[in-house]
Amino acid sequence: MNILLIGCGKMGGAMLRQWVNHGGNSFTVADPAASDLPAGVAHVSKATDLPAQEFDVVLIAIKPQMIADVLPAYTHALKDGGIFVSIAAGTSVASLEKVVGDAAIARVMPNMAALVGMGVSGLYANDRCTPQQTRDIVALIDQTGTCIAVQSEDQIDRLTAVSGSGPGYVFEILRNYVAAAEALGFDHETARTLVFDTVTGTVEAARQSDLSLEELRNSVTSKNGTTQAGLGALMHDGTLEALLHGTLQAAYARAQELR
């Protein structure tokens, strides 16, 4: 596919690097401030530098508040039968339709793990998208990690609460885990190694196992042992469960408000 990327900030740039590494598509970036683009990526500073009906995909990676002012100038660049794809957080398909009209539109919610090719993204396609277009965009986003197609924007809001905002929760959990390790007497770098490698290894073990998470937890918890003692403190009065449920519900409610 021939793809136009409008905006190339942190998220757009991270996804672009993954796409270029995979190969198979051609890219043009429209961003007056873009620099250090991957080799082979074309660059323009303004919409008037682009020919009409040139691109199969116009990918919107600018700030949501800029869309109404910036996007109209680029609509001419999309081929007949092409698709607009937005990674602008909180911008609904209905809002995009007000700008580009009756067009095929896919809304994508990525997360920052796309920086390392391990992102988790949700995709919602409007009724104007053909099944082939949806498959093509899912395959494109899959190159940045994993893409899950959902059937409604409400599901995108729910996914935002889990994976879109999820890195923030994980960073905060890791921060406190590292601080607790330091409080036990480890220096900062050793604490980071212990925590990061424990988390990474445990997640991969769970991913490869056929056991449920509860079964896996029980398998490493000896009666009256150290793990049981630690879990007793961690799970005291159901606080952890309540915190995680409350966290996701709060993020979901805010995602609905933004849309």
Side-chain angles (χ1 to χ4, degrees), residues 28-245:
T28 298
V29 168
D31 186 335
S35 61
D36 298 323
L37 294 174
V41 173
H43 176 235
V44 299
S45 295
K46 55 187 183 300
T48 52
D49 293 334
L50 296 168
Q53 297 194 11
E54 177 76 8
F55 298 95
D56 303 294
V57 178
V58 170
L59 203 150
I60 305 156
I62 54 179
K63 294 179 179 179
Q65 61 268 29
M66 298 172 61
I67 289 175
D69 293 329
V70 173
L71 183 57
Y74 289 93
T75 56
H76 74 282
L78 186 68
K79 291 179 180 178
D80 288 340
I83 180 172
F84 291 97
V85 178
S86 172
I87 64 168
T91 304
S92 68
V93 167
S95 296
L96 294 167
E97 289 172 341
K98 290 178 182 178
V99 178
V100 303
D102 191 15
I105 300 172
R107 179 185 168 195
V108 174
M109 180 66 227
N111 72 9
M112 64 82 62
L115 288 165
V116 292
M118 297 179 68
V120 182
S121 301
L123 178 147
Y124 168 69
N126 72 355
D127 292 340
R128 294 281 293 173
C129 293
T130 67
Q132 185 60 54
Q133 285 177 318
T134 301
R135 286 192 292 269
D136 287 343
I137 301 305
V138 168
L140 179 70
I141 305 302
D142 265 339
Q143 293 179 359
T144 70
T146 300
C147 182
I148 298 172
V150 299
Q151 300 304 310
S152 71
E153 286 199 274
D154 179 67
Q155 288 181 303
I156 285 286
D157 292 339
R158 294 171 189 268
L159 182 143
T160 297
V162 178
S163 60
S165 298
Y169 319 149
V170 174
F171 285 138
E172 181 61 10
I173 291 168
L174 290 174
R175 185 185 70 81
N176 280 280
Y177 198 173
V178 169
E182 291 177 300
L184 280 179
F186 294 101
D187 64 76
H188 182 65
E189 288 305 314
T190 301
R192 280 172 58 95
T193 298
L194 290 171
V195 169
F196 291 1
D197 289 359
T198 296
V199 171
T200 301
T202 302
V203 168
E204 191 56 35
R207 189 190 301 276
Q208 294 185 26
S209 177
D210 293 328
L211 298 176
S212 70
L213 294 175
E214 183 177 10
E215 289 171 327
L216 286 169
R217 181 204 63 199
N218 292 343
S219 73
V220 297
T221 306
S222 301
K223 185 176 181 180
N224 296 323
T226 58
T227 305
Q228 186 179 69
L231 284 171
L234 183 65
M235 300 165 66
H236 179 67
D237 292 338
T239 301
L240 178 64
E241 181 179 5
L243 279 173
L244 289 174
H245 280 267

